[in-house]
Amino acid sequence: MAGYDFNAPRLFVDAPLQVDARIALDRGQANYLVNVLRLKDGDSVLIFNGRDGEWRAEVSVEGRKAADLVCVERTREQSPAPDIVYAFAPLKHARLDYMVQKAVEMGAGVLQPILTQRTQSSRVNLDRMRSNAIEAAEQCGILAIPEVREEENLERFLKGLEKERLVIFCDENAPVSNPVEALAKLGNIQDGLVVIVGPEGGFTDQERALVAARERCVCVSLGPRILRADTAAVAALAIVQSVLGDWN
């Protein structure tokens, strides 16, 4: 990302992208470009759809409330989403918004709400989660929009995982030790990762035994302090990316 122009307006569009493709913007997007950013005919915008890479497009203004974009050239090839499933107990409202945005920034490829015995909220607004994921991707130069999955019971989620996928279980009851050293011993991981963070009330003993029973599972502590669940998301994904992910 060195040399990337973070000052350029960047927009997610749900349309195929190719040279000379004309993209019709919805009212909100057109208002943002024309009335908020005050862009004019011929001004450039970076656009992406999560499939066709990133493109430079030119604004075509049609009055105060309407605008289209015309694709000019591809600026970056499409990259795949990291093979990291972030599984988390849902939170309420603004804190869930924050968690989703930070998980996307930290490189989660799949967002998987899991329902535990102490989950604070069992109703998840998937459209809102996706909107927050898109917003984070727009702001941070991310090309691949993470998959947002429907909430699932913890036990059923674990049963559905590929056997070869490594589970990194962030357990508040794990002995406090250096998580970086624990993950470094695993070597290169070829089959993808799952990072599991529980609710603020913690996992029950039954749930802890259920996760730990997996053949490919490592339990890690996130330090001597109890973290809020949204803070734990950032801490856990930062550790994973620095040792096993694309920071390494």
Side-chain angles (χ1 to χ4, degrees):
M1 296 293 289
Y4 185 76
D5 183 7
F6 285 101
N7 292 316
R10 192 166 186 269
L11 205 62
F12 172 83
V13 295
D14 191 11
L17 303 179
Q18 59 186 14
V19 174
D20 294 331
R22 194 172 190 90
I23 312 299
L25 299 178
D26 63 36
R27 189 168 182 173
Q29 291 174 320
N31 178 69
Y32 174 69
L33 294 182
V34 176
N35 296 319
V36 178
L37 297 184
R38 299 188 181 279
L39 300 185
K40 298 179 174 56
D41 264 336
D43 285 347
S44 291
V45 177
L46 295 177
I47 59 176
F48 68 108
N49 62 5
R51 304 183 300 273
D52 301 321
E54 182 179 75
W55 289 72
R56 183 176 70 82
E58 292 183 351
V59 179
S60 175
V61 179
E62 301 176 7
R64 290 178 54 84
K65 296 183 179 180
D68 290 345
L69 295 175
V70 179
C71 287
V72 177
E73 61 180 348
R74 180 153 41 202
T75 57
R76 285 194 290 160
E77 296 291 332
Q78 182 64 40
S79 56
D83 194 5
I84 298 177
V85 177
Y86 181 64
F88 60 94
L91 301 172
K92 295 180 179 180
H93 307 305
R95 292 184 58 205
L96 178 59
D97 295 343
Y98 174 89
M99 174 191 283
V100 168
Q101 292 169 5
K102 298 312 167 187
V104 174
E105 291 179 38
M106 299 301 294
V110 174
L111 300 174
Q112 174 65 69
I114 53 171
L115 304 181
T116 69
Q117 293 184 37
R118 295 171 179 163
T119 295
Q120 293 181 349
S121 177
S122 60
R123 300 182 64 183
V124 182
N125 187 329
L126 299 180
D127 289 338
R128 180 165 173 160
M129 280 182 57
R130 180 169 171 79
S131 293
N132 276 289
I134 288 173
E135 181 181 338
E138 287 177 333
Q139 294 177 354
C140 297
I142 294 168
L143 289 178
I145 302 296
E147 178 187 353
V148 177
R149 294 181 180 170
E150 292 187 1
E151 61 270 28
E152 194 167 18
N153 173 271
L154 174 62
E155 182 174 4
R156 189 160 53 248
F157 166 68
L158 291 171
K159 287 181 178 178
L161 286 177
E162 309 95 318
K163 290 183 179 180
E164 62 274 12
R165 186 175 287 271
L166 175 68
V167 171
I168 298 172
F169 180 37
C170 300
D171 181 7
E172 69 278 3
N173 274 17
V176 175
S177 60
N178 188 331
V180 173
E181 292 180 357
L183 296 182
K185 294 176 182 178
L186 300 173
N188 293 327
I189 303 300
Q190 303 296 328
D191 300 311
L193 304 169
V194 177
V195 179
I196 299 180
V197 171
E200 298 208 334
F203 293 100
T204 65
D205 289 342
Q206 180 184 6
E207 291 169 336
R208 199 169 283 114
L210 191 67
V211 180
R214 280 187 60 91
E215 183 177 346
R216 300 210 68 199
C217 176
V218 56
C219 296
V220 298
S221 164
L222 296 180
R225 290 165 292 280
I226 299 298
L227 303 180
R228 287 168 39 141
D230 44 353
T231 307
V234 179
L237 289 168
I239 292 167
V240 169
Q241 290 286 34
S242 66
V243 182
L244 302 175
D246 54 20
W247 294 8
N248 185 9

